[in-house]
Amino acid sequence: MLCATSRLLAARTATALPAQPRGRGPGARCRRRELHFPGHPEVPLGEFLAGRLARSSVSASRRAILRRGRMPPAVGGGPAGSELRPRRGRCGPQVTRAVGPDVAAQPAARSPKRPARGSRRFEAAGRWALLALVTLLSFATRFHRLDEPPHICWDETHFGKMGSYYINRTFFFDVHPPLGKMLIGLAGYLSGYDGTFLFQKPGDKYEHHNYMGMRGFCAFLGSLLVPFAYLTVLELSRSLPAALLSAALLTFDTGCLTLSQYILLDPILMFFIMAAMLSMVKYNSCADRPFSAPWWFWLSLTGINLAGALGVKFVGLFIILQVGWNTISDLWHLFGDLSLSVVTVGKHLTARVLCLIVLPLTLYTATYAVHFMVLNKSGPGDGFFSSAFQARLSGNNLHNASIPEHLAYGSVITVKNLRMAIGYLHSHRHLYPEGIGARQQQVTTYLHKDYNNLWIIKKHNTNADPLDPSFPVEFVRHGDIIRLEHKETSRNLHSHYHEAPLTRKHYQVTGYGINGTGDSNDFWRIEVVNRKFGNRIKVLRSRIRLIHLVTGCVLGSSGKVLPKWGWEQLEVTCTPYLKETLNSIWNVEDHINPKLPNISLDVLQPTFPEILLESHMVMIRGNNGLKPKDNEFTSKPWHWPINYQGLRFSGINDTDFRVYLLGNPVVWWLNLLSIVLYILLGSIIAVAVQRGAHLPAEVEGLSQVLLQGGGQLLLGWMLHYFPFFLMGRILYFHHYFPAMLFSSMLTGILWDTILQLCAWSLASPFLARGMYAAGLLSLLLGTAYSFYLFHPLAYGMVGPLAQDPRSPMAGLRWLESWDF
């Protein structure tokens, strides 16, 4: 490869184009030139696969490019980026003008004769047949043994359960947008699943419940990743062998196969990412026919797929960034085309705003409208949201409820923190462990409805029962000194100068006393934000703070998750910093007082924009709060490209049916090598072109494919990988798979280009043909054989572990970190 590269950079042959200033001749890069064998200029290298069929295929592809007069546009991801993109619609004439009649005649002399119409039909049929073969193989590998194991595997316990919630119309909370779970629920409903399976924990058997519809839906979308990759690479490279190699890498990857066979969001997310990428390169290829029906179709489909990707996971933002960069680059070149009027450029801008911004936002918002319309029953997600939000859920104690409007002494209440996803002030009979402040009763916040959330509000200086009929009703007012007694344990809300468990500069909050009798550290001053002394406190509407009378600190929640001794609930502290933040502001939600009249809560129900905004705030906070727990398995981003460690989907011993998520090591390490080689080779070519090197005509087209098509894929890999280094949330191995799709497509383009360059350096056409064929077949067969070796990881293993010589996986544990 290096010899070929050196030779192409030093060549000064008669086939080279004349020098252009700084390598920027506009006509020289308007089309891809096929590589021909020395001595046989009429035979392109890529035609070794199918004789006459492949020859006519390459010729037709070349004619299509010549008719368009341009290469697929770059997004700036390649090393040469915008320098290599020609001006639209003017490439054909510029070629002749730039090189002159004598030189321009040379490519025409090399070109094969125009094939007959029957040959073109035969060629098109062959291309469709190859696509059908690739698709069939993808579906066969994904649907093989789809019903095994017949029990819950890994995150099926979450997303299968959420599909059940949609069928039962039960509200829940998840850190991801709703589209993926909605589609899983719809697939289950249409396939006859009744939503009654509990999905409690991995390993639970499905028994008579119909789970195949949901698994089949995910496998169907996962199977489409392979033909999408094939078509994308074919569009970027105009090379059938490159497209076939990329498709093979994804077909025979055990990791992609495993993720596609279970009830997960990953195959749905990757489907929309790949569909958006394919749609983008398709509408780029229609750039010479702007505002035509195909142009509008692919542009609109790109917007639809962007909405789908973001609607499944926020990771979909990365493909939005890639399409956005492509669009900005596209519009920038249109703006520089002086042959276009300002009105035409404005039409282009308007079309992209409508299809790539307005349409995706509309569809994305519509998914939430459907989500909130379907999930109209109270469920486990209520506590994550505000009291006003809960009032719209059927079955919630606030729905169509009537409660006393003003807070009075003797009322039984729940106190909810106003920061999203903090929850209710909570206590239970468990004590803080030794060494964690005073060994008194724990006080936490809890996100779910619970009897341990109930408190009785009392005066600080008396133990008399305010609900005694002989006592008049006395309302709680702004500035009053109160005591909160935990209803279940009869201990008072208490604070003192001991440090909080996790936030060392804050004070500990505990439950203290016996039957409501404690000490002066139980006294709190209740204040309504932005109110004057003496005002009554309204339930749900008043924003209150609780100031500890002795220490002067403010009751709040740090939002930090307590260890297992605190049941992984959230820490409550008393902060000496009096600045108003949502962490230290509360409202009274439930209110029970038989001596007071009730009012209806219908007026509290929020509007749809308010619901949409609140749900996003809760999801973002929930994502940021996903921190590793004690002894929980996680991975780091630098582990992923090297396939350092997999993830156990099912089974832990030799009697279990074991499934292990691990990429095919041959595929993953080849992808990693390809990224390094691409950066090296692409940089050499880009520098050479920038320095005005005279490249042979046969090589220049390959260089443009490598820099422009490969640059788009490298940009996609970078956007879907490097942002994870900046994330503070918990990360898993499966987060790398969207980036892996782009690296596999880049591998197909890179090695097809390298093999053609190496073959070009050989003098003998027979050796060149043989070397190209041998190289490509070696990659395909090596990938397929490695899949044969490692396929038990995806399809399931039973028997001895890999450390045992009797295991079928013995000898295949190439890294000590592989735990299968």
Side-chain angles (χ1 to χ4, degrees), residues 402-422:
S402 296
I403 62 176
E405 181 179 12
H406 295 103
L407 189 62
Y409 288 104
S411 297
V412 178
I413 62 174
T414 59
V415 183
K416 191 175 190 300
N417 194 277
L418 290 193
R419 185 170 179 180
M420 303 297 177
I422 291 291

Side-chain angles (χ1 to χ4, degrees), residues 695-770:
L695 301 182
E698 293 86 350
V699 172
E700 191 170 359
L702 289 174
S703 301
Q704 301 315 303
V705 168
L706 190 67
L707 294 177
Q708 296 184 5
Q712 291 200 29
L713 299 175
L714 181 67
L715 177 65
W717 175 79
M718 294 169 63
L719 285 175
H720 286 83
Y721 175 50
F722 287 112
F724 288 101
F725 284 93
L726 306 177
M727 295 184 185
R729 57 154 290 172
I730 187 172
L731 298 173
Y732 297 102
F733 177 48
H734 71 100
H735 287 132
Y736 181 70
F737 278 83
M740 182 266 177
L741 300 176
F742 287 91
S743 64
S744 297
M745 292 188 288
L746 178 62
T747 299
I749 289 181
L750 175 73
W751 285 98
D752 176 67
T753 302
I754 289 176
L755 290 174
Q756 292 198 49
L757 289 175
C758 290
W760 174 82
S761 67
L762 299 176
S764 167
F766 177 79
L767 288 178
R769 182 189 295 271

Side-chain angles (χ1 to χ4, degrees), residues 370-500:
V370 175
H371 170 73
F372 293 126
M373 182 177 64
V374 172
L375 302 183
N376 61 356
K377 298 179 180 179
S378 178
D382 295 12
F384 290 86
F385 290 81
S386 66
S387 306
F389 182 95
Q390 295 179 43
R392 57 177 295 277
L393 298 174
S394 173
N396 188 282
N397 61 329
L398 299 178
H399 181 68
N400 292 333
S402 296
I403 62 176
E405 181 179 12
H406 295 103
L407 189 62
Y409 288 104
S411 297
V412 178
I413 62 174
T414 59
V415 183
K416 191 175 190 300
N417 194 277
L418 290 193
R419 185 170 179 180
M420 303 297 177
I422 291 291
Y424 300 93
L425 186 65
H426 176 96
S427 186
H428 40 237
R429 297 187 184 277
H430 300 277
L431 306 181
Y432 286 102
E434 290 286 349
I436 306 295
R439 200 163 193 274
Q440 297 173 5
Q441 185 168 294
Q442 297 176 16
V443 174
T444 64
T445 60
Y446 188 50
L447 285 165
H448 305 282
K449 301 281 188 177
D450 191 276
Y451 285 112
N452 282 323
N453 300 342
L454 298 177
W455 301 81
I456 304 172
I457 187 165
K458 293 186 174 182
K459 286 190 170 184
H460 72 287
N461 55 0
T462 178
N463 286 322
D465 183 8
L467 296 182
D468 189 322
S470 62
F471 288 100
V473 173
E474 188 173 356
F475 291 103
V476 180
R477 298 178 182 272
H478 174 77
D480 282 1
I481 308 301
I482 66 168
R483 179 165 49 88
L484 286 178
E485 180 183 316
H486 190 242
K487 189 174 186 301
E488 293 296 307
T489 62
S490 298
R491 289 184 174 175
N492 296 326
L493 185 69
H494 178 98
S495 187
H496 42 222
Y497 286 107
H498 292 275
E499 286 185 338

